[in-house]
Short mmCIF file of all heavy atoms in Angstrom, two decimals:
data_model
loop_
_atom_site.label_atom_id
_atom_site.label_comp_id
_atom_site.label_asym_id
_atom_site.label_seq_id
_atom_site.Cartn_x
_atom_site.Cartn_y
_atom_site.Cartn_z
N ALA J 65 113.33 80.27 86.25
CA ALA J 65 112.58 81.49 86.46
C ALA J 65 112.03 82.04 85.15
O ALA J 65 110.87 82.43 85.05
CB ALA J 65 113.44 82.53 87.15
N LYS J 66 112.90 82.03 84.15
CA LYS J 66 112.46 82.55 82.85
C LYS J 66 111.37 81.70 82.25
O LYS J 66 110.37 82.19 81.75
CB LYS J 66 113.66 82.63 81.89
CG LYS J 66 114.54 83.83 82.17
CD LYS J 66 115.64 83.97 81.13
CE LYS J 66 116.51 85.17 81.45
NZ LYS J 66 117.81 85.11 80.76
N SER J 67 111.60 80.42 82.32
CA SER J 67 110.64 79.48 81.75
C SER J 67 109.27 79.64 82.41
O SER J 67 108.23 79.56 81.76
CB SER J 67 111.19 78.06 81.91
OG SER J 67 110.18 77.15 82.21
N LEU J 68 109.29 79.89 83.70
CA LEU J 68 108.03 80.09 84.42
C LEU J 68 107.24 81.25 83.85
O LEU J 68 106.02 81.17 83.67
CB LEU J 68 108.32 80.37 85.90
CG LEU J 68 108.70 79.17 86.76
CD1 LEU J 68 109.22 79.64 88.10
CD2 LEU J 68 107.50 78.26 86.93
N LYS J 69 107.99 82.33 83.58
CA LYS J 69 107.30 83.54 83.11
C LYS J 69 106.80 83.42 81.68
O LYS J 69 106.02 84.23 81.22
CB LYS J 69 108.25 84.74 83.23
CG LYS J 69 108.64 85.06 84.66
CD LYS J 69 107.40 85.37 85.53
CE LYS J 69 107.75 85.35 87.01
NZ LYS J 69 106.55 85.46 87.89
N GLN J 70 107.28 82.39 81.00
CA GLN J 70 106.87 82.23 79.60
C GLN J 70 105.59 81.44 79.45
O GLN J 70 104.92 81.53 78.44
CB GLN J 70 107.99 81.56 78.80
CG GLN J 70 109.08 82.55 78.40
CD GLN J 70 110.29 81.86 77.85
OE1 GLN J 70 110.29 80.64 77.70
NE2 GLN J 70 111.33 82.63 77.57
N HIS J 71 105.29 80.63 80.46
CA HIS J 71 104.11 79.80 80.33
C HIS J 71 102.88 80.41 80.99
O HIS J 71 102.94 80.88 82.12
CB HIS J 71 104.38 78.40 80.88
CG HIS J 71 105.31 77.62 80.01
ND1 HIS J 71 106.67 77.85 80.02
CD2 HIS J 71 105.08 76.64 79.10
CE1 HIS J 71 107.25 77.02 79.14
NE2 HIS J 71 106.30 76.28 78.58
N GLU J 72 101.83 80.34 80.28
CA GLU J 72 100.58 80.97 80.68
C GLU J 72 100.15 80.62 82.11
O GLU J 72 99.75 81.49 82.89
CB GLU J 72 99.48 80.56 79.70
CG GLU J 72 98.14 81.19 79.97
CD GLU J 72 97.08 80.69 78.98
OE1 GLU J 72 97.45 79.95 78.03
OE2 GLU J 72 95.93 81.03 79.18
N PHE J 73 100.23 79.33 82.44
CA PHE J 73 99.68 78.92 83.73
C PHE J 73 100.63 79.15 84.91
O PHE J 73 100.23 79.09 86.06
CB PHE J 73 99.28 77.44 83.68
CG PHE J 73 98.23 77.18 82.64
CD1 PHE J 73 98.35 76.12 81.76
CD2 PHE J 73 97.11 78.01 82.55
CE1 PHE J 73 97.37 75.90 80.79
CE2 PHE J 73 96.13 77.79 81.61
CZ PHE J 73 96.26 76.73 80.71
N THR J 74 101.88 79.38 84.61
CA THR J 74 102.83 79.56 85.70
C THR J 74 103.28 81.01 85.82
O THR J 74 103.95 81.37 86.76
CB THR J 74 104.08 78.68 85.46
OG1 THR J 74 104.63 78.97 84.17
CG2 THR J 74 103.72 77.22 85.56
N ARG J 75 102.86 81.82 84.85
CA ARG J 75 103.34 83.20 84.78
C ARG J 75 103.03 83.99 86.03
O ARG J 75 103.80 84.83 86.47
CB ARG J 75 102.71 83.89 83.56
CG ARG J 75 103.23 85.28 83.31
CD ARG J 75 102.69 85.79 82.00
NE ARG J 75 102.97 84.84 80.92
CZ ARG J 75 102.21 84.66 79.85
NH1 ARG J 75 101.10 85.33 79.71
NH2 ARG J 75 102.56 83.78 78.92
N ASP J 76 101.87 83.71 86.60
CA ASP J 76 101.42 84.53 87.73
C ASP J 76 101.80 83.96 89.09
O ASP J 76 101.39 84.48 90.12
CB ASP J 76 99.92 84.74 87.65
CG ASP J 76 99.54 85.51 86.39
OD1 ASP J 76 100.34 86.37 85.98
OD2 ASP J 76 98.48 85.23 85.81
N ILE J 77 102.55 82.88 89.07
CA ILE J 77 102.98 82.33 90.36
C ILE J 77 104.17 83.13 90.86
O ILE J 77 105.18 83.23 90.16
CB ILE J 77 103.38 80.84 90.22
CG1 ILE J 77 102.20 80.05 89.65
CG2 ILE J 77 103.80 80.28 91.57
CD1 ILE J 77 102.53 78.60 89.36
N PRO J 78 104.06 83.71 92.04
CA PRO J 78 105.18 84.50 92.54
C PRO J 78 106.40 83.63 92.86
O PRO J 78 106.27 82.49 93.27
CB PRO J 78 104.63 85.14 93.81
CG PRO J 78 103.45 84.32 94.20
CD PRO J 78 102.92 83.74 92.95
N VAL J 79 107.56 84.22 92.64
CA VAL J 79 108.82 83.51 92.87
C VAL J 79 109.69 84.28 93.86
O VAL J 79 109.85 85.49 93.73
CB VAL J 79 109.60 83.37 91.54
CG1 VAL J 79 110.97 82.76 91.79
CG2 VAL J 79 108.80 82.53 90.55
N ILE J 80 110.18 83.58 94.84
CA ILE J 80 111.17 84.18 95.74
C ILE J 80 112.50 83.48 95.52
O ILE J 80 112.56 82.26 95.57
CB ILE J 80 110.76 84.07 97.21
CG1 ILE J 80 109.48 84.88 97.47
CG2 ILE J 80 111.89 84.56 98.13
CD1 ILE J 80 109.01 84.83 98.92
N MET J 81 113.54 84.24 95.22
CA MET J 81 114.85 83.67 94.95
C MET J 81 115.68 83.62 96.22
O MET J 81 115.67 84.56 97.02
CB MET J 81 115.59 84.54 93.95
CG MET J 81 114.89 84.70 92.63
SD MET J 81 115.18 83.25 91.59
CE MET J 81 116.71 83.75 90.83
N ILE J 82 116.41 82.52 96.36
CA ILE J 82 117.35 82.43 97.47
C ILE J 82 118.74 82.68 96.93
O ILE J 82 119.18 81.99 96.01
CB ILE J 82 117.31 81.02 98.10
CG1 ILE J 82 115.88 80.69 98.53
CG2 ILE J 82 118.27 80.93 99.26
CD1 ILE J 82 115.74 79.27 99.02
N THR J 83 119.42 83.68 97.45
CA THR J 83 120.76 83.99 96.97
C THR J 83 121.74 83.97 98.12
O THR J 83 121.35 84.06 99.28
CB THR J 83 120.81 85.40 96.32
OG1 THR J 83 120.68 86.38 97.37
CG2 THR J 83 119.70 85.59 95.33
N ALA J 84 123.01 83.83 97.79
CA ALA J 84 124.04 83.85 98.83
C ALA J 84 124.41 85.30 99.09
O ALA J 84 124.23 86.16 98.25
CB ALA J 84 125.25 83.06 98.39
N ARG J 85 124.93 85.56 100.25
CA ARG J 85 125.27 86.93 100.61
C ARG J 85 126.27 87.53 99.64
O ARG J 85 127.17 86.89 99.17
CB ARG J 85 125.83 86.96 102.04
CG ARG J 85 126.29 88.35 102.44
CD ARG J 85 126.44 88.55 103.93
NE ARG J 85 125.31 88.13 104.74
CZ ARG J 85 124.15 88.79 104.78
NH1 ARG J 85 123.95 89.86 104.04
NH2 ARG J 85 123.19 88.37 105.57
N GLY J 86 126.05 88.79 99.38
CA GLY J 86 127.02 89.52 98.59
C GLY J 86 126.86 89.35 97.09
O GLY J 86 127.50 90.06 96.33
N GLU J 87 126.01 88.46 96.70
CA GLU J 87 125.84 88.29 95.25
C GLU J 87 124.87 89.31 94.70
O GLU J 87 123.79 88.97 94.21
CB GLU J 87 125.36 86.87 94.95
CG GLU J 87 126.39 85.81 95.30
CD GLU J 87 125.80 84.41 95.17
OE1 GLU J 87 124.58 84.28 95.07
OE2 GLU J 87 126.60 83.47 95.17
N GLU J 88 125.29 90.56 94.85
CA GLU J 88 124.42 91.65 94.42
C GLU J 88 124.02 91.47 92.96
O GLU J 88 122.87 91.67 92.58
CB GLU J 88 125.15 92.99 94.56
CG GLU J 88 125.17 93.52 95.98
CD GLU J 88 123.77 93.79 96.51
OE1 GLU J 88 122.88 94.13 95.70
OE2 GLU J 88 123.56 93.63 97.72
N GLU J 89 124.99 91.08 92.21
CA GLU J 89 124.80 90.85 90.79
C GLU J 89 123.60 89.95 90.55
O GLU J 89 122.75 90.20 89.70
CB GLU J 89 126.07 90.20 90.22
CG GLU J 89 126.06 89.98 88.73
CD GLU J 89 126.05 91.30 87.96
OE1 GLU J 89 126.40 92.35 88.56
OE2 GLU J 89 125.68 91.27 86.78
N ASP J 90 123.53 88.91 91.38
CA ASP J 90 122.47 87.92 91.22
C ASP J 90 121.10 88.51 91.48
O ASP J 90 120.13 88.20 90.81
CB ASP J 90 122.70 86.75 92.18
CG ASP J 90 123.84 85.89 91.70
OD1 ASP J 90 124.33 86.15 90.57
OD2 ASP J 90 124.23 84.97 92.43
N LYS J 91 121.07 89.39 92.48
CA LYS J 91 119.78 90.02 92.79
C LYS J 91 119.22 90.69 91.56
O LYS J 91 118.06 90.53 91.21
CB LYS J 91 119.96 91.09 93.87
CG LYS J 91 119.92 90.56 95.28
CD LYS J 91 119.93 91.75 96.23
CE LYS J 91 120.32 91.33 97.62
NZ LYS J 91 120.60 92.49 98.47
N ILE J 92 120.11 91.42 90.91
CA ILE J 92 119.68 92.17 89.73
C ILE J 92 119.13 91.24 88.69
O ILE J 92 118.01 91.39 88.21
CB ILE J 92 120.87 92.93 89.10
CG1 ILE J 92 121.54 93.79 90.16
CG2 ILE J 92 120.40 93.75 87.93
CD1 ILE J 92 122.87 94.33 89.71
N ARG J 93 119.94 90.25 88.38
CA ARG J 93 119.49 89.35 87.33
C ARG J 93 118.25 88.57 87.76
O ARG J 93 117.38 88.27 86.96
CB ARG J 93 120.62 88.39 86.95
CG ARG J 93 121.71 89.09 86.15
CD ARG J 93 122.62 88.10 85.48
NE ARG J 93 123.42 87.38 86.45
CZ ARG J 93 124.06 86.23 86.18
NH1 ARG J 93 123.94 85.70 84.98
NH2 ARG J 93 124.77 85.64 87.10
N GLY J 94 118.19 88.28 89.04
CA GLY J 94 117.04 87.56 89.55
C GLY J 94 115.75 88.36 89.39
O GLY J 94 114.75 87.87 88.88
N LEU J 95 115.85 89.62 89.78
CA LEU J 95 114.67 90.46 89.67
C LEU J 95 114.32 90.67 88.20
O LEU J 95 113.15 90.71 87.82
CB LEU J 95 114.90 91.79 90.37
CG LEU J 95 115.01 91.69 91.90
CD1 LEU J 95 115.45 93.00 92.50
CD2 LEU J 95 113.67 91.26 92.49
N ASP J 96 115.35 90.80 87.39
CA ASP J 96 115.12 90.92 85.96
C ASP J 96 114.42 89.70 85.42
O ASP J 96 113.52 89.79 84.60
CB ASP J 96 116.46 91.08 85.22
CG ASP J 96 116.79 92.54 85.00
OD1 ASP J 96 115.95 93.37 85.40
OD2 ASP J 96 117.85 92.83 84.44
N ALA J 97 114.85 88.56 85.92
CA ALA J 97 114.28 87.30 85.42
C ALA J 97 112.85 87.11 85.90
O ALA J 97 112.21 86.13 85.55
CB ALA J 97 115.16 86.13 85.84
N GLY J 98 112.40 88.00 86.73
CA GLY J 98 111.00 87.92 87.11
C GLY J 98 110.73 87.48 88.53
O GLY J 98 109.60 87.16 88.87
N ALA J 99 111.76 87.48 89.36
CA ALA J 99 111.53 87.14 90.75
C ALA J 99 110.75 88.26 91.44
O ALA J 99 110.92 89.42 91.09
CB ALA J 99 112.85 86.89 91.48
N ASP J 100 109.89 87.92 92.37
CA ASP J 100 109.09 88.93 93.04
C ASP J 100 109.79 89.46 94.28
O ASP J 100 109.48 90.52 94.78
CB ASP J 100 107.74 88.34 93.42
CG ASP J 100 106.94 88.00 92.19
OD1 ASP J 100 107.15 86.89 91.64
OD2 ASP J 100 106.16 88.83 91.76
N ASP J 101 110.70 88.65 94.78
CA ASP J 101 111.46 89.06 95.95
C ASP J 101 112.67 88.15 96.02
O ASP J 101 112.77 87.17 95.29
CB ASP J 101 110.61 88.92 97.23
CG ASP J 101 111.17 89.78 98.36
OD1 ASP J 101 112.22 90.42 98.18
OD2 ASP J 101 110.55 89.78 99.44
N TYR J 102 113.60 88.50 96.86
CA TYR J 102 114.75 87.64 97.04
C TYR J 102 115.05 87.59 98.51
O TYR J 102 114.66 88.47 99.29
CB TYR J 102 115.96 88.17 96.28
CG TYR J 102 116.29 89.59 96.65
CD1 TYR J 102 117.06 89.88 97.75
CD2 TYR J 102 115.78 90.66 95.90
CE1 TYR J 102 117.34 91.17 98.12
CE2 TYR J 102 116.05 91.97 96.26
CZ TYR J 102 116.83 92.22 97.36
OH TYR J 102 117.10 93.51 97.75
N ILE J 103 115.74 86.57 98.93
CA ILE J 103 116.13 86.48 100.32
C ILE J 103 117.56 85.96 100.36
O ILE J 103 117.94 85.10 99.56
CB ILE J 103 115.16 85.58 101.13
CG1 ILE J 103 115.49 85.61 102.60
CG2 ILE J 103 115.17 84.14 100.58
CD1 ILE J 103 114.37 85.02 103.45
N THR J 104 118.36 86.55 101.23
CA THR J 104 119.78 86.25 101.24
C THR J 104 120.13 85.25 102.33
O THR J 104 119.73 85.40 103.47
CB THR J 104 120.58 87.54 101.47
OG1 THR J 104 120.15 88.52 100.53
CG2 THR J 104 122.05 87.29 101.29
N LYS J 105 120.85 84.22 101.95
CA LYS J 105 121.36 83.25 102.92
C LYS J 105 122.49 83.88 103.74
O LYS J 105 123.31 84.58 103.15
CB LYS J 105 121.90 82.00 102.20
CG LYS J 105 120.82 81.04 101.78
CD LYS J 105 121.41 79.70 101.36
CE LYS J 105 122.01 79.75 99.96
NZ LYS J 105 122.27 78.40 99.39
N PRO J 106 122.60 83.62 105.01
CA PRO J 106 121.61 82.87 105.80
C PRO J 106 120.46 83.75 106.23
O PRO J 106 120.64 84.94 106.41
CB PRO J 106 122.43 82.44 107.02
CG PRO J 106 123.44 83.54 107.19
CD PRO J 106 123.71 84.09 105.82
#
Side-chain angles (χ1 to χ4, degrees):
Chain J
K66 282 186 180 161
S67 143
L68 283 169
K69 296 301 166 188
Q70 279 169 4
H71 289 77
E72 182 183 354
F73 300 133
T74 54
R75 186 172 306 149
D76 297 327
I77 303 175
V79 174
I80 296 181
M81 299 281 273
I82 304 174
T83 71
R85 176 162 310 288
E87 294 172 346
E88 281 298 329
E89 184 66 19
D90 287 353
K91 275 188 198 168
I92 306 168
R93 287 195 292 163
L95 292 171
D96 265 359
D100 294 84
D101 200 357
Y102 55 84
I103 186 166
T104 308
K105 280 193 282 195

